[in-house]
Amino acid sequence: MSKSTKAGSDSGAKGDKVWAIMALVSGIGAAKVTNKVLSSGWKASTGRKPPANPADPDVRLVEAVLWSAATGATVALARMFAQRRAANYYVKSVGRLPKQLEKDER
């Protein structure tokens, strides 16, 4: 392998590591913000704090199901949107998608 080919693959690997960090940070940030917003909305609409642990048998089943569904779906969507924005930034910076996001062959 020539030095230029190795250097190109090293920078690609480095870029993919940068992407992994960007995806992780954006996903965690989106999850934290979304959870805070959902908790505030739950408290405003029910007058109570959201269930800390929906699996707790002392939490009413309807509350556990509603809280789990709301947080699961909303956090997943927020993470996806945050990671898509991070991917757009990555493409503008590097000029290509990270290997983890390369388009599928259809």
Side-chain angles (χ1 to χ4, degrees), residues 23-77:
L24 178 67
V25 169
S26 65
I28 290 172
K32 284 192 169 286
V33 169
T34 302
N35 199 13
K36 206 170 219 4
V37 169
L38 284 173
S39 294
S40 296
W42 182 274
K43 186 165 179 141
S45 64
T46 65
R48 295 185 304 276
K49 288 182 179 179
N53 182 359
D56 181 351
D58 291 335
V59 174
R60 290 183 346 161
L61 182 59
V62 69
E63 283 187 6
V65 169
L66 288 173
W67 179 249
S68 296
T71 56
T74 308
V75 167
L77 285 169

Side-chain angles (χ1 to χ4, degrees), residues 83-103:
Q83 289 176 346
R84 287 176 63 100
R85 288 188 54 106
N88 285 333
Y89 178 79
Y90 184 91
V91 168
K92 288 178 184 174
S93 300
V94 177
R96 66 169 180 83
L97 283 170
K99 287 192 189 317
Q100 297 91 325
L101 296 181
E102 288 178 347
K103 294 185 182 354

